[in-house]
Amino acid sequence: MFELSREHDELRATVRKFLARRSEEGTVRRLMETSQGYDEQTWQVMAAQLGLQGLAIPEEHGGSGFGVVELQIVMEEMGRALMCSPFLATVCWAVPLLLESGDAALAAELLPAVAEGSVTVAVAVQDGERATVAQRDDDGWTLDGSKRFVVDGASADRVVVLARTPEGPGLFLVDDAASLVRTAMTTLDQTRKQAALSFEQTRARPVGDVGAGQTVLDAAMVTARTLLAAESVGTCARMLEMTVNYAKIRHQFDRPIGSFQAVKHLCTRMLIDTELATSAAGAAGAAVDAGDDAAPLLSRVAAAATSDALESVAAEMIEIHGGIGFTWEHPAHLYYKRAASSARLWGSSSEHRSAIFDLAGATK
Amino acid sequence: MNEDLLVLATTTAEREFATQAVAFLSARYDRRRSLTANWGEGDEALSLFHESTDAQERAEANAARAWQRARWDAGFGWIAGPVEYGGRGLPASHDRLYRMIEGAFDVPDMSPLRIGLGTISPVLVAFGTPELIETYAVPMQRGDLIGCQLFSEPGAGSDLAGVRTRAIRRGDDWVIDGQKVWTSNGSFADIGLAIVRTDADAPKHRGLTLFVVPMDTPGVEVRRIRQLTGGHSFAETFLSDVAVPDSHRLGEEGEGWKITNRALAGERRSVGDRSHEMNARALELLRTLAERVGRSDDPLVRDRWAALYVSLQSARFQQQRMQAVPEDRLTGAERAIDKVVVAWAFRDLGRLAAELLGPSFAADTGEWGTFAWTRWSLGALGYRIAGGTEEIIKTVIAERVLGLPREPRV
């Protein structure tokens, strides 16, 4: 289950090298102040030279046909580098959603464009002040209502929207996202943008069977959750690394602070949390690729383990950095904010645990 | 049948070896059935420490010896051992493969031999004279001798280098005086590996030497220790004017600390499948208990149960992930993570049981699967201590895995 090959090592090294040039701290700080939130040229190069957007897209749709395990390696590296990009929304969520919907025509139309880096897609699930409703007319479907907490919603070219229909929840694609009223939300984590969207008689196309929306969303969420878990593992690993490096060089009382047992034990706890989260995320990725019945449960285990690890590792990182970790100029707060935000992006750890209690009981 | 075990082999040579091992094992034992969590059946099996009477202990030791002899005769007794001493000289990966395969069969519990085969025999081969290897390591591998460690003392626990048991040279002999404690197998072991102080003037870590002590030597007295659980798993060993020939010295004088550290590296290995299986079963029992006491809709209980599920699954995946990492990429301390996490799970399972049981945790109503949890909770206290305390292990992990600087030593 945990056999990572030489090809995996090479993929990791390639992505790490790319991000070292394209997502170093200065770039992250520059991009997080922009409304776009990412560098389009980097996005293009990532598709053209590395093929990352299409890594796990089936070959028939212009991708390389690799699995979630490979995409997890990419996400770990992006989590380490706090990569500012719509990769999570587009590649990790919208793509699985399109594939799970079974809508072959739409997949054939959109996935090659995603793979070549020419289209980004956001997913809008949570309603804002107005419930989002889809209505059928002679020309197709229109949407009315509002959404919020839409990851990369302000910059996306297209948006997949969950809306009420007489047949039950349905998924709809808005092709011209730029025509929507889009409001950037002020986010705790500036490196990942969120937006509020509103729909007024907005033209939209159904994605898959209308009425199957929730089922498709739940299935895609298993993959998306597993990939976010991998990103979080990378974030934890980097936070641990920064902290340990600092504990080795920072001297107080004429000793490196890392030689004090109180500091050592905090670092060991960070390592344990990070290691367990890594194992849980890896097991979930392997289960998703194998089509294992336990994949939904294991994706929740990975989500719960990584959410808790993010919070505890991030907090101890700041603590061990001391005063410098409380400043804006040090990168620790960027990681802390990503951690605090990701830890509840798609449910808190106790919400995941509630699901685990039910799922683990059902598989008995 | 048993094809699931053959897939553990990766090379052609391993596959051939695995086929032989499966043939050997399947001719003698059935496949092991997993521990069941059926309510009300048999012993609750909630003791974390193996506790038995003298007679039971001897019977278990004899069963283990007999099985080791059968392994030896079939060529599976000393798989990675040197050929000149009767071992098979195969790579350590074959040994691991065999243990994984054997774990699937209902073989006798080998814990009485674990210290001898896992700790003492390897250091004898690495540091002992040919005579010591022939006299003690080979018979241990054949199942004829059982070994124990005479390491810890009342005054030397985590700070093992503080041992005060001393050996004084007298002619060709060394005369040992002192007291050892937490001796597993003490009451039936044939030989002990003792770390003692041979130079009171040398710095603490340099004045220690190792000796092989036959446990029937006059002056060796073993007394079982009663644990807070009420049962016995360990002994204390008193050494009074115990004369051991110089030929029983392992390594040079003053090398005892170095060799002991190497021996203990084996002890801090991961806890193994059995502990994970016990925890999984305990978790199942707690789920049923929650239903029986009407608490399975209680959000507090659900959350605590699921938190345990997450940490136990993660620890199990961690163990599997570490098994896939080549030895040369590990510092040896990574696997200690498993030990720490499993000890926490033991504790938290006991606490959840106590929460669900309420007064039935403190007083026995006679109902199956209730008061027995007290044995689990009490045993859990020992797991944060045994095999290196949690605090020491955290320090070791910080220094070896994370590379943090050592504390200044006195």
Side-chain angles (χ1 to χ4, degrees):
Chain A
M1 186 196 314
F2 292 104
E3 304 291 338
L4 287 184
S5 68
R6 205 163 49 83
E7 285 77 11
H8 288 146
D9 288 344
E10 283 166 13
L11 172 64
R12 186 183 298 283
T14 304
V15 176
R16 189 170 293 190
K17 201 170 140 203
F18 178 76
L19 295 177
R21 280 187 284 116
R22 296 277 184 165
S23 181
E24 86 299 350
E25 190 187 334
T27 304
V28 172
R29 285 184 185 265
R30 180 172 58 76
L31 292 172
M32 77 184 199
E33 301 290 352
T34 65
S35 56
Q36 174 84 357
Y38 73 101
D39 183 330
E40 282 196 45
Q41 198 218 347
T42 296
W43 184 257
Q44 299 295 335
V45 174
M46 204 163 81
Q49 291 177 13
L50 274 65
L52 297 186
Q53 286 92 323
L55 192 68
I57 289 177
E59 286 172 280
E60 60 185 294
H61 294 311
S64 311
F66 285 100
V68 165
V69 169
E70 286 76 22
L71 210 47
Q72 280 189 307
I73 294 172
V74 175
M75 285 303 280
E76 269 187 48
E77 292 305 316
M78 290 186 170
R80 285 180 71 90
L82 288 188
M83 173 69 166
C84 300
S85 87
F87 201 86
L88 179 75
T90 301
V91 179
C92 301
W93 199 7
V95 168
L97 205 61
L98 286 167
L99 289 170
E100 291 289 348
S101 75
D103 194 325
L106 213 47
E109 176 191 331
L110 272 180
L111 296 184
V114 169
E116 66 179 40
S118 55
V119 161
T120 63
V121 190
V123 183
V125 175
Q126 294 196 58
D127 280 336
E129 281 169 9
R130 292 178 298 143
T132 306
V133 180
Q135 276 172 319
R136 198 198 302 259
D137 59 23
D138 292 342
D139 298 324
W141 292 81
T142 56
L143 302 177
D144 282 282
S146 63
K147 292 286 179 187
R148 53 187 183 171
F149 308 120
V150 183
V151 174
D152 291 312
S155 64
D157 300 316
R158 312 211 183 183
V159 188
V160 177
V161 183
L162 185 72
R164 286 188 203 168
T165 78
E167 289 110 288
L171 291 165
F172 296 87
L173 178 72
V174 175
D175 285 301
D176 186 9
S179 70
L180 298 170
V181 176
R182 305 200 276 190
T183 316
M185 298 174 80
T186 303
T187 48
L188 169 65
D189 170 18
Q190 289 179 267
T191 65
R192 180 132 65 214
K193 305 299 179 191
Q194 299 188 35
L197 311 181
S198 91
F199 308 94
E200 310 287 345
Q201 291 288 300
T202 307
R203 271 292 145 208
R205 294 189 276 163
V207 178
D209 293 334
V210 173
Q214 193 62 48
T215 314
V216 170
L217 187 64
D218 289 347
M221 208 64 223
V222 170
T223 301
R225 206 184 277 131
T226 300
L227 291 166
L228 177 65
E231 187 199 74
S232 302
V233 162
T235 304
C236 285
R238 181 63 194 141
M239 292 192 290
L240 171 64
E241 203 174 273
M242 282 166 56
T243 306
V244 168
N245 289 342
Y246 184 71
K248 286 177 184 171
I249 57 160
R250 167 75 175 171
H251 281 66
Q252 289 290 277
F253 306 101
D254 302 320
R255 294 161 57 179
I257 60 167
S259 70
F260 291 101
Q261 204 167 64
V263 173
K264 271 184 190 153
H265 286 190
L266 288 181
C267 290
T268 296
R269 185 66 212 241
M270 292 167 79
L271 172 74
I272 291 174
D273 290 340
T274 302
E275 284 287 309
L276 293 181
T278 306
S279 298
V288 171
D289 277 346
D292 195 318
D293 289 343
L297 171 59
L298 293 181
S299 77
R300 292 283 192 173
V301 169
T306 49
S307 294
D308 283 343
L310 280 172
E311 300 232 82
S312 58
V313 171
E316 304 302 26
M317 167 188 64
I318 301 285
E319 175 67 13
I320 293 173
H321 278 86
I324 190 74
F326 197 66
T327 65
W328 189 269
E329 70 170 301
H330 195 279
H333 73 104
L334 304 178
Y335 283 88
Y336 182 89
K337 290 167 184 173
R338 170 67 72 88
S341 170
S342 291
R344 51 193 47 76
L345 186 62
W346 292 327
S348 69
S349 68
S350 50
E351 286 170 312
H352 294 306
R353 284 193 294 272
S354 181
I356 286 165
F357 188 90
D358 296 328
L359 287 166
T363 58
K364 253 200 299 191
Chain B
M1 200 173 139
N2 296 318
E3 276 295 320
D4 57 320
L5 300 174
L6 296 177
V7 301
L8 298 169
T10 46
T11 63
T12 316
E14 280 184 5
R15 196 171 166 84
E16 193 179 321
F17 174 83
T19 308
Q20 293 164 7
V22 168
F24 166 65
L25 289 159
S26 58
R28 284 157 187 84
Y29 291 102
D30 291 334
R31 291 288 291 262
R32 193 160 62 81
R33 285 189 303 182
S34 51
L35 294 168
T36 56
N38 292 342
W39 195 262
E41 276 179 20
D43 181 0
E44 290 106 327
L46 290 170
S47 293
L48 287 177
F49 280 92
H50 184 69
E51 294 168 351
S52 49
T53 63
D54 278 352
Q56 284 167 341
E57 211 174 34
R58 274 171 210 290
E60 286 156 6
N62 287 335
R65 283 177 204 265
W67 176 233
Q68 180 59 20
R69 220 163 286 142
R71 278 169 164 180
W72 174 274
D73 291 339
F76 296 108
W78 204 5
I79 292 161
V83 177
E84 62 270 34
Y85 294 110
R88 255 176 101 177
L90 293 170
S93 55
H94 281 65
D95 193 39
R96 280 196 299 277
L97 178 60
Y98 177 80
R99 278 185 279 124
M100 266 157 53
I101 294 172
E102 196 189 79
F105 290 89
D106 198 16
V107 300
D109 177 11
M110 296 302 274
S111 33
L113 302 191
R114 195 158 293 139
I115 289 169
L117 300 181
T119 309
I120 302 178
S121 169
V123 289
L124 280 176
V125 171
F127 299 97
T129 59
E131 188 198 343
L132 277 181
I133 298 170
E134 287 286 3
T135 316
Y136 296 115
V138 174
M140 271 195 284
Q141 294 293 345
R142 265 201 313 261
D144 293 341
L145 292 181
I146 289 183
C148 65
Q149 281 169 187
L150 300 171
F151 288 175
S152 300
E153 296 184 3
S158 294
D159 182 14
L160 182 60
V163 295
R164 276 185 293 195
T165 294
R166 66 178 195 278
I168 293 168
R169 188 75 189 245
R170 196 169 64 198
D172 284 341
D173 286 347
W174 292 85
V175 179
I176 304 174
D177 274 284
Q179 184 189 349
K180 295 291 179 178
V181 76
W182 305 123
T183 321
S184 307
N185 304 345
S187 47
F188 56 86
D190 304 291
I191 59 161
L193 182 65
I195 184 161
V196 301
R197 191 160 299 282
T198 46
D199 184 349
D201 300 324
K204 188 171 158 187
H205 296 82
R206 302 230 183 91
L208 301 169
T209 305
L210 280 172
F211 291 95
V212 177
V213 181
M215 296 296 279
D216 59 359
T217 312
V220 177
E221 191 199 340
V222 177
R223 291 182 208 154
R224 302 189 82 185
I225 297 169
R226 190 173 190 202
Q227 293 148 203
L228 55 70
T229 53
H232 306 265
S233 305
F234 307 93
E236 53 189 340
T237 306
F238 297 86
L239 302 151
S240 319
D241 286 326
V242 175
V244 175
D246 186 52
S247 61
H248 281 48
R249 177 168 42 80
L250 187 60
E252 298 301 321
E253 278 182 61
E255 271 194 340
W257 179 249
K258 198 180 79 185
I259 303 175
T260 303
N261 263 319
R262 170 123 167 213
L264 289 178
E267 187 179 331
R268 293 194 181 127
R269 273 197 315 244
S270 70
V271 283
D273 288 337
R274 195 73 181 170
S275 300
H276 288 292
E277 204 180 334
M278 279 167 61
N279 275 327
R281 174 178 174 275
L283 199 58
E284 278 299 306
L285 286 174
L286 287 184
R287 195 175 176 107
T288 311
L289 183 62
E291 282 160 19
R292 292 176 71 92
V293 300
R295 297 280 299 274
S296 51
D297 292 328
D298 181 335
L300 173 84
V301 170
R302 288 166 56 92
D303 194 67
R304 283 172 68 172
W305 188 91
L308 276 160
Y309 186 88
V310 171
S311 62
L312 291 174
Q313 287 286 332
S314 305
R316 182 141 215 179
F317 296 141
Q318 174 75 10
Q319 188 200 27
Q320 291 167 359
R321 189 164 65 92
M322 285 302 117
Q323 277 168 357
V325 178
E327 289 286 329
D328 59 359
R329 283 169 75 170
L330 294 174
T331 66
E334 289 87 349
R335 290 182 183 157
I337 290 173
D338 199 32
K339 193 242 169 207
V340 173
V341 175
V342 166
W344 287 340
F346 282 156
R347 175 193 63 195
D348 294 342
L349 284 160
R351 285 183 181 167
L352 180 54
E355 163 70 29
L356 292 170
L357 290 165
S360 315
F361 182 75
D364 192 358
T365 60
E367 192 188 343
W368 190 93
T370 60
F371 192 67
W373 276 102
T374 57
R375 295 207 299 268
W376 179 286
S377 296
L378 294 170
L381 299 169
Y383 270 83
R384 290 180 65 202
I385 301 167
T389 63
E390 182 179 312
E391 291 67 36
I392 292 292
I393 286 178
K394 279 182 174 173
T395 301
V396 169
I397 291 172
E399 292 174 2
R400 298 214 194 135
V401 181
L402 297 175
L404 287 169
R406 300 177 73 100
E407 299 225 26
R409 295 210 174 210
V410 186

